[in-house]
Amino acid sequence: MDHSTRSSSSSATRVVDVLLPVALDQAYSYRVPRGVELAPGDVVCVPLGAREVIGVVWADNPNPDPRLHNRLKDVDSKLEVPRFREELRRLVDWVANYTLSPRGQVLRMTLRMGEHLGPERVRLGVRLVGPKPQRMTPARARLIEILSDGLLHGKSDAIKEAGCSAGVVDGLVDEGTLAVEPMARALAAPEPDPDFAQPDFSPEQTTAADSLRALAAGGAFKVALLDGVTGSGKTEVYFEAVAEIVRRGEQTLILMPEIALTGQFLDRFAQRFGVRPLEWHSELTPRTRARNWAAIAAGEAQVVVGARSALFLPYAKLGLIIVDEEHDQAYKQDEGAHYHARDMAVVRASIAKIPIILASATPSVESEVNARKGRYQRVALPSRFGGQHMPQIEAIDLRREGPMRGRYIAPRLAEQIGIAIERREQALLFLNRRGYAPLTLCRACGHRFACTICDAWLVDHRFRQRLVCHHCGFSMPRPRLCPHCNAEESLVAVGPGVERLQEEAQALFPDARTMVLSSDLVTSIESMRSELTEIAEGRVDIIIGTQLVAKGHNFPRLNLVGVVDADLGLGNGDPRAAERTYQLLNQVIGRAGRDQGYGIGYLQTHQPEHPVMKALVACDREAFYESEIDARERTGYPPFGRLASLIVSAGDRPTAEGFARKLVAMSPPDERIKVLGPAEAPLAVIKGRYRFRILVKSARGVDLSTYLRQWLASGPKTTGNLNLEVDVDPQSFL
Ligand code: ADP
Ligand code: ZN
């Protein structure tokens, strides 16, 4: 750490307010040491208790409380990283205000330059630029000798070699002998070439690409909804907007719901632009993270592909944001600041006055309504590239299939899988359920295995030979005796998970090569990518997967998709269930027939008359959106009304319930706002904590955040082990 700017003088010092990446809303005041220039946005190192933390100067404080003045500490040093632009500071304030999160918590997301390495490792160099100083000391002489070649030397290397302190360098910088500048890094991201390879577009794609290019060139805040069926070439088309921004010398951020699934994307990007884009995700090594962060902040990284957290990075000159698969629920962060990355991306674009593209084959109802109302510009790709047909979809009515007797693949589907294998094509079995079986019970006494600290059944995981709680991770070996009645060999697995499906597929087709793709079986982004490559290269016959397989892949030999339980997501009473199910099933069946153009999807269902199934079978997305938008409008659910959910939890039930009731009783009356509950949360106990939920519902134009803030400020305070979680715009209404 560079302590050179520390100063002990205290007369007539300036004071700045520094926001720190801790769970606090207020910025802290610090004195600015003499001789140091600080402006809002500067990244600084300050003392906090016994620690040193990195924060950002948020504002000048011209009138600090005089009583505090003498107790204020000095800013320790200013980091040699680019100043945070006002646009990012406003985003932090905005998100904190909207989500009711402490500003420091939101700031933390911007400072993810690798806590262990720290930004001080952004290498600084020093070089000789001016005449020798008037006053010479042995240390100065050694340093100047080392730098006499006029080249840029690493600052810390030179200091070490000269055996001097950082202060010696700083003194010579002040006197104009030396200059400090950032070392040229090995470029973190080589420059994409906008003209590396241009695809031949269909007329439909050309029109769409023209629109997006114009949007990018417009350089103003505008939202486009790139609405194209699976396989229509959305990616190729939005690359044209990226190329435009690269030509302008600005940065593009491409958000993806699941960074592990972007292997093919990175290759396609390289085919189009000659180099891979810079990645941002949680598995970067600290060194790469620090380097990428610096490259983004310096404006060197021209195209960044990342998961939702990439939205909060300090881009030097962001010119375009693209949110791919904008409908995906993975964009919602449910820990810490509860924010929706798609929505906050639109906010960032509007603050930065830049265009944004939301891409999806099945837009969220929110975006669809915005496009219908003309608030978003719709750019449509209604057909598949290359004249390929959309997959045909058929429902298999399980009520008519007769007893399945512990089997989950209907004979009609099994027959089709056999045909596909014979043709040397692939089949995909989709079931959004990890593990072997969702429930284990004792045949003798009826005992069901439940988690001891959550309100949830334990899921049988045969690969791991354990019963696992999907909420807290608790697990135990599958016992031989029933712990309740001591019966032997009496446990039965109830219902299917992907592991059980694999067993069944293997029994049906003993010679077929099967592979299960499920998040609990994937150990890293690398292994996920290599498994996907194996599938794409045709080394697997039957793919069995959870929603991981639904997203964005191109498997050229895949023409058959069987949805094993199409009703799975519908029965839970969540008002968004229909939308979710429609999107997921559309997406997973959209994997079929992308190359050969004769894909087919089978939906195993107990309710073929459900509007979601009917719309899918009829390939009638209009019908789906019509009925769904209608239902939302009638019930006042988003986007026609607004919602927030408050979850109160405590180690015991009466405390949680009592607090929730008190909170509701103190809600300020407002005829535009309904406060519902408290009711037991859908998962009433997680990790031994009892949970009650309060739902706040309002008309569309109401500023719920302000209402909530006032309410919570005057309401009872959480103490002891009580916890209150606020979720504005919850994704699940459950
Ligand atoms: P989407 O994202 O809309 O599902 P993709 O962008 O993945 O569609 O495109 C589907 C496939 O078609 C990809 O393999 C892509 O490379 C190919 N493709 C799309 N447009 C073109 C084009 N104009 N020329 C060549 N290949 C294309
Ligand atoms: Zn549990």
Side-chain angles (χ1 to χ4, degrees):
M1 190 63 43
D2 183 356
H3 292 268
S4 57
T5 52
R6 195 196 289 273
S7 152
S8 55
S9 95
S10 64
S11 58
T13 33
R14 264 179 63 206
V15 171
V16 288
D17 292 340
V18 177
L19 191 60
L20 303 175
V22 294
L24 282 174
D25 201 47
Q26 298 86 1
Y28 277 155
S29 298
Y30 288 90
R31 293 184 306 198
V32 183
R34 249 205 291 178
V36 175
E37 283 298 320
L38 285 181
D42 278 333
V43 184
V44 292
C45 204
V46 295
L48 178 69
R51 289 189 296 155
E52 294 238 311
V53 293
I54 291 161
V56 177
V57 177
W58 223 243
D60 272 317
N61 185 345
N63 303 306
D65 185 339
R67 285 163 306 168
L68 283 179
H69 198 253
N70 285 330
R71 282 193 276 144
L72 292 182
K73 293 184 177 157
D74 280 9
V75 168
D76 211 12
S77 59
K78 172 174 150 185
L79 299 181
E80 296 296 332
V81 298
R83 182 173 287 166
F84 274 31
R85 297 165 54 116
E86 194 199 341
E87 144 200 336
L88 181 56
R89 286 178 275 134
R90 280 180 57 200
L91 180 72
V92 169
D93 286 341
W94 203 101
V95 173
N97 178 56
Y98 189 81
T99 61
L100 275 83
S101 313
R103 285 189 300 172
Q105 191 175 47
V106 180
L107 181 75
R108 186 156 22 172
M109 302 194 282
T110 71
L111 287 170
R112 296 253 166 89
M113 66 274 265
E115 276 104 26
H116 306 296
L117 206 60
E120 66 271 24
R121 295 293 178 90
V122 173
R123 294 251 298 155
L124 286 182
V126 57
R127 91 162 88 226
L128 193 62
V129 290
K132 293 211 168 129
Q134 308 265 304
R135 190 173 60 85
M136 205 39 124
T137 64
R140 285 182 162 196
R142 285 197 304 274
L143 191 61
I144 290 170
E145 167 64 26
I146 289 163
L147 299 174
S148 58
D149 57 8
L151 298 176
L152 190 64
H153 291 243
K155 182 177 167 187
S156 47
D157 297 342
I159 288 170
K160 211 180 283 163
E161 217 181 317
C164 65
S165 72
V168 177
V169 172
D170 294 332
L172 288 172
V173 168
D174 288 346
E175 291 174 37
T177 306
L178 304 182
V180 168
E181 46 194 275
M183 299 281 285
R185 282 174 288 271
L187 217 52
E191 290 191 17
D193 173 1
D195 303 311
F196 185 78
Q198 212 116 32
D200 289 327
F201 281 138
S202 68
E204 184 182 294
Q205 289 178 326
T206 305
T207 310
D210 287 346
S211 302
L212 295 186
R213 227 180 273 121
L215 179 92
F221 171 61
K222 205 167 167 196
V223 188
L225 178 62
L226 176 57
D227 171 10
V229 298
T230 51
S232 59
K234 289 186 289 297
T235 315
E236 312 292 336
V237 167
Y238 73 59
F239 277 168
E240 293 315 300
V242 177
E244 189 64 33
I245 297 296
V246 171
R247 286 190 197 102
R248 291 163 65 100
E250 294 173 349
Q251 293 170 295
T252 302
L253 163 64
I254 304 176
L255 286 177
M256 297 272 175
E258 180 82 67
I259 199 77
L261 307 180
T262 55
Q264 285 185 343
F265 173 88
L266 299 176
D267 293 340
R268 281 169 64 188
F269 188 93
Q271 280 157 22
R272 172 66 183 79
F273 293 100
V275 296
R276 288 189 155 216
L278 189 113
E279 286 183 74
W280 184 266
H281 57 73
S282 57
E283 286 186 24
L284 297 177
T285 62
R287 187 172 293 277
T288 308
R289 173 178 298 264
R291 209 181 52 169
N292 289 4
W293 190 93
I296 288 166
E300 280 170 19
Q302 285 188 283
V303 182
V304 179
V305 177
R308 57 182 183 232
S309 62
L311 181 63
F312 291 96
L313 296 173
Y315 299 89
K317 41 187 176 174
L318 191 57
L320 173 68
I321 304 176
I322 294 168
V323 184
D324 206 346
E325 310 286 5
E326 65 92 27
H327 63 276
D328 203 293
Q329 6 174 0
Y331 282 123
K332 180 66 190 245
Q333 160 133 328
D334 281 327
E335 270 165 27
H338 290 44
Y339 70 93
H340 196 296
R342 175 199 59 227
D343 297 346
M344 296 310 117
V346 173
V347 169
R348 180 158 194 172
S350 97
I351 291 175
K353 302 193 176 63
I354 58 171
I356 175 167
I357 299 169
L358 311 178
S360 176
T362 49
S364 60
V365 170
E366 278 83 348
S367 297
E368 176 66 25
V369 168
N370 280 327
R372 288 183 180 209
K373 300 226 153 127
R375 289 192 281 261
Y376 292 177
Q377 175 192 355
R378 190 190 300 272
V379 177
L381 289 170
S383 47
R384 279 194 163 177
F385 174 73
Q388 311 292 16
H389 294 290
M390 294 302 290
Q392 193 187 325
I393 303 179
E394 285 181 29
I396 296 179
D397 185 347
L398 290 177
R399 296 169 307 190
R400 302 205 177 149
E401 282 297 303
M404 302 262 287
R405 297 207 170 83
R407 302 220 160 254
Y408 302 95
I409 303 172
R412 231 174 102 200
L413 177 55
E415 191 185 332
Q416 294 299 319
I417 298 173
I419 295 172
I421 293 175
E422 222 139 86
R423 285 198 196 139
R424 309 215 158 275
E425 295 175 3
Q426 287 172 322
L428 167 65
L429 289 173
F430 173 73
L431 178 63
N432 209 6
R433 225 183 220 156
R434 293 180 282 137
Y436 184 86
L439 174 67
T440 302
L441 58 75
C442 169
R443 198 189 295 119
C445 73
H447 173 73
R448 297 165 168 224
F449 285 79
C451 179
T452 50
I453 55 172
C454 299
D455 181 17
W457 305 124
L458 293 180
V459 178
D460 187 354
H461 282 250
R462 289 280 159 99
F463 286 158
R464 289 159 62 189
Q465 290 290 335
R466 296 184 85 80
L467 302 179
V468 181
C469 171
H470 281 187
H471 300 284
C472 70
F474 165 83
S475 76
M476 60 182 271
R478 196 173 192 273
R480 211 176 52 78
L481 301 180
C482 172
H484 200 242
C485 71
N486 282 325
E488 242 177 279
E489 308 294 347
S490 67
L491 303 188
V492 277
V494 182
V498 280
E499 294 177 11
R500 190 173 203 171
L501 272 187
Q502 183 185 34
E503 193 177 272
E504 186 174 341
Q506 207 70 76
L508 285 168
F509 307 101
D511 298 329
R513 297 161 298 178
T514 61
M515 179 189 277
V516 177
L517 275 185
S518 161
S519 57
D520 58 312
L521 302 174
V522 176
T523 48
S524 69
I525 290 180
E526 268 327 300
S527 74
M528 179 77 199
R529 285 181 180 166
S530 78
E531 289 186 357
L532 290 169
T533 307
E534 236 172 275
I535 297 173
E537 290 175 353
R539 277 176 276 152
V540 176
D541 302 310
I542 305 175
I543 310 147
I544 299 145
T546 61
Q547 60 180 340
L548 271 192
V549 298
K551 299 181 185 178
H553 318 289
N554 271 318
F555 300 137
R557 306 194 62 78
L558 176 65
N559 293 311
L560 173 69
V561 172
V563 177
V564 174
D565 185 353
D567 311 330
L568 190 57
L570 286 175
N572 60 10
D574 184 337
R576 267 195 225 266
E579 177 187 358
R580 287 275 154 69
T581 303
Y582 178 77
Q583 288 162 340
L584 190 57
L585 298 187
N586 197 295
Q587 205 169 15
V588 69
I589 292 172
R591 297 309 106 209
R594 287 161 77 98
D595 248 44
Q596 274 108 337
Y598 53 85
I600 181 155
Y602 287 96
L603 303 172
Q604 298 196 147
T605 173
H606 284 95
Q607 37 186 335
E609 69 291 340
H610 192 286
V612 167
M613 303 308 154
K614 278 168 66 182
L616 285 168
V617 169
C619 277
D620 190 350
R621 62 170 259 168
E622 281 310 298
F624 167 72
Y625 282 107
E626 283 298 331
S627 81
E628 190 59 24
I629 290 173
D630 213 54
R632 299 277 182 96
E633 200 158 16
R634 253 186 298 113
T635 51
Y637 276 113
F640 300 98
R642 302 203 50 209
L643 282 180
S645 120
L646 308 182
I647 302 255
V648 175
S649 65
D652 66 285
R653 197 189 147 98
T655 306
E657 185 169 10
F659 183 87
R661 290 200 182 287
K662 214 183 303 168
L663 198 58
V664 169
M666 293 176 73
S667 62
D670 185 327
E671 78 272 6
R672 302 164 309 164
I673 293 173
K674 276 205 208 102
V675 175
L676 310 167
E680 258 185 8
L683 268 160
V685 192
I686 298 183
K687 297 185 195 175
R689 294 183 64 82
Y690 291 77
R691 305 164 77 239
F692 281 81
R693 196 206 49 198
I694 300 162
L695 207 55
V696 187
K697 212 172 159 200
S698 80
R700 182 168 184 270
V702 174
D703 178 356
L704 263 189
S705 300
T706 299
Y707 174 82
L708 291 171
R709 190 168 298 103
Q710 283 164 358
W711 173 12
L712 298 181
S714 62
K717 298 285 164 280
T718 52
T719 50
N721 73 39
L722 264 165
N723 185 46
L724 173 63
E725 216 179 293
V726 181
D727 189 352
V728 179
D729 304 337
Q731 281 306 288
S732 165
F733 306 161
L734 273 180

